[in-house]
Amino acid sequence: MSGGQSAGAPGPRWRALLEARWQTHVQEVTELSLAYHVAAAAVSDDIGDGAGQPEVASLLRRVTVARRKLADVEEALGRLAAGTFGSCEQCGSAIPAGLLAAAPETRYCPRCDAPSPEPETRQSGVAGVSGIRPLAGRAPR
């Protein structure tokens, strides 16, 4: 485990932390999915599929975010098993243990995950999209 040892902690600590987060996210996805299906069924009885209703749309967004968080933790468990957990996917340097403790699904070191400078305005006068950061340090590369 190249980055995990550089971060100064043994693998079992990270596995336990990731597994606890995994259990929390599985429970969250399950509860939100059930709430979404109940709300969609209640609304669809009245007006079609119910997807246009604000409450149903909000639940769907929350389920999507919860599933992405669960996938991030599962990917981190995969990196732990592969021996790459704790190493930046961009530059290979160690991710600080404090950052991993706060967000163990983090993929990038602080330097590589820092927001890139604003893209220059194109001739059309429209600047590129900025300020949108993917979950778990997944900066577009």
Side-chain angles (χ1 to χ4, degrees):
M1 173 180 357
S2 61
Q5 291 177 348
S6 300
R13 171 186 176 207
W14 299 122
R15 176 163 298 286
L17 180 60
L18 287 166
E19 287 177 351
R21 289 175 80 100
W22 182 85
Q23 289 176 346
T24 299
H25 290 309
V26 166
Q27 182 176 354
E28 181 182 20
V29 166
T30 302
E31 291 171 0
L32 286 170
S33 294
L34 289 172
Y36 165 77
H37 287 290
V38 167
V43 173
S44 69
D45 290 343
D46 297 333
I47 56 165
D49 69 357
Q53 295 299 310
E55 178 185 351
V56 175
S58 173
L59 281 169
L60 182 58
R61 282 190 299 275
R62 290 175 60 198
V63 168
T64 302
V65 168
R67 286 184 180 184
R68 182 68 249 169
K69 288 179 182 178
L70 177 61
D72 288 341
V73 171
E74 289 173 342
E75 290 167 5
L77 283 165
R79 289 191 302 278
L80 187 65
T84 60
F85 179 81
S87 294
C88 177
E89 289 186 2
Q90 180 72 24
C91 70
S93 68
I95 299 171
L99 179 56
L100 288 173
E105 55 279 335
T106 299
R107 297 169 174 256
Y108 301 105
C109 69
R111 185 178 59 88
C112 291
D113 196 36
S116 55
E118 287 289 320
E120 292 190 29
T121 303
R122 297 187 182 118
Q123 286 183 350
S124 67
V126 178
V129 176
S130 66
I132 299 175
R133 301 291 296 163
L135 295 174
R138 263 182 270 102
R141 305 292 178 205

